[in-house]
Amino acid sequence: MNKNWLYLALIVSPAALADNIIHWWDASITALYGDNYDLAPSDSQTTLTFETAGGWQYGDWFAFQDVIYFNGANAGQDNTTYGEISTRLSASKILGKKVAAGPLTDFSLALTFEEGEGPVESFLYGVGMDIKAPYFSYFQLNTYRRHATGSLNNSDGWQLTPVYRMDFPVGNSNIVLDGYIDWVFATDEDSYQANFHFNPQLKYDLGAVVFGEHKKNKLFMGIEYDFWQNKYGVDGIDQSTYSVIAQYHF
């Protein structure tokens, strides 16, 4: 099965499942335009990102698929794809009782699969933690062991991934700051450098203003910042770029 279709199936399938299995779910599409991209066939890129997230009987999931168009590419390639699918199996949900300690509100087995064109396929496994932090709507911290597949992928090592969201009410609308950090802080191969990828989005809930309260958390406009030190594990390639974004939640 083509992996790209797997993500589309995840967007559609929760609606067909019983309510006692799926606790909540969300699907969205985001259009992004930006420039100053490093190690890419073109300086500017247009990206369509399909995302789905949700909570179910034994944990939660998140998946996305990027379709990236290289604007004005002259290297013979005008687009590519990249995606990830993640799930976390919650100790509290599986055991049927709260597993917590201080600000740590849950522990999980965290699993992620990365795929795309080129030598990027990797399987990640580790421990996830839900943390109650002031001013954050949610804050998760996942620690992974990276296992690269394929002879050309040398990204084995250890990775720390915080995921977060903050909400700032503005009148009858909302400003959202959310995103993630992928920090590969230890690597097995000298040819693949430790790298730090910081990718926040700052978005205004335009749907609540234009279409009314019933469209809150539906249509967002904003910017995304992408900072990637040692991009793709290449020493000295530090990407810093902004994109304008439009995001719609179904």
Side-chain angles (χ1 to χ4, degrees):
M1 179 180 181
N2 188 309
K3 298 185 186 74
N4 295 349
W5 290 103
L6 176 61
Y7 302 114
L8 296 178
L10 279 171
I11 292 175
V12 175
S13 60
L17 296 178
D19 290 341
N20 62 333
I21 297 176
I22 302 298
H23 298 163
W24 66 273
W25 73 282
D26 177 73
S28 66
I29 181 172
T30 305
L32 308 92
Y33 175 82
D35 52 20
N36 296 321
Y37 287 92
D38 292 319
L39 297 181
S42 66
D43 181 67
S44 66
Q45 295 180 9
T46 300
T47 302
L48 294 178
T49 299
F50 303 89
E51 293 179 301
T52 178
W56 66 296
Q57 188 173 359
Y58 297 116
D60 55 40
W61 80 81
F62 173 73
F64 74 87
Q65 180 70 50
D66 284 342
V67 182
I68 304 166
Y69 298 93
F70 303 117
N71 304 323
N74 56 13
Q77 182 182 14
D78 57 7
N79 65 80
T80 189
T81 62
Y82 175 77
E84 297 181 10
I85 180 170
S86 302
T87 188
R88 302 190 313 156
L89 301 177
S90 161
S92 295
K93 289 184 176 181
I94 292 172
L95 297 175
K97 62 180 181 180
K98 197 70 173 176
V99 179
L104 304 179
T105 60
D106 199 7
F107 296 86
S108 301
L109 171 64
L111 306 170
T112 293
F113 180 67
E114 303 175 344
E115 64 84 22
E117 299 181 22
V120 299
E121 199 166 283
S122 300
F123 178 65
L124 288 69
Y125 55 91
V127 177
M129 296 182 291
D130 287 21
I131 301 173
K132 186 176 182 181
Y135 308 112
F136 285 87
S137 302
Y138 62 78
F139 187 91
Q140 301 169 350
L141 183 62
N142 303 311
T143 304
Y144 293 109
R145 172 65 184 174
R146 294 185 57 86
H147 176 69
T149 63
S151 59
L152 298 178
N153 188 352
N154 59 351
S155 66
D156 296 278
W158 292 91
Q159 177 174 313
L160 194 66
T161 300
V163 182
Y164 60 89
R165 172 170 171 154
M166 304 177 75
D167 288 83
F168 306 94
V170 178
N172 63 345
S173 187
N174 198 33
I175 292 177
V176 174
L177 174 65
D178 61 4
Y180 67 90
I181 297 171
D182 282 340
W183 179 27
V184 181
F185 60 88
T187 61
D188 294 357
E189 302 291 337
D190 292 339
S191 58
Y192 185 86
Q193 297 294 309
N195 56 90
F196 181 85
H197 193 188
F198 177 50
N199 194 219
Q201 294 182 347
L202 185 64
K203 299 169 290 192
Y204 180 65
D205 189 347
L206 188 62
V209 175
V210 176
F211 302 113
E213 184 72 18
H214 67 290
K215 288 294 185 179
K216 195 170 183 178
N217 290 317
K218 289 291 187 180
L219 176 63
F220 292 90
M221 300 290 291
I223 59 172
E224 177 184 275
Y225 177 60
D226 190 300
F227 174 74
W228 198 342
Q229 184 182 43
N230 294 337
K231 184 178 181 179
Y232 299 142
V234 179
D235 189 24
I237 301 297
D238 299 336
Q239 175 176 284
S240 179
T241 181
Y242 290 89
S243 296
V244 292
I245 65 174
Q247 183 179 82
Y248 185 78
H249 291 255
F250 297 96

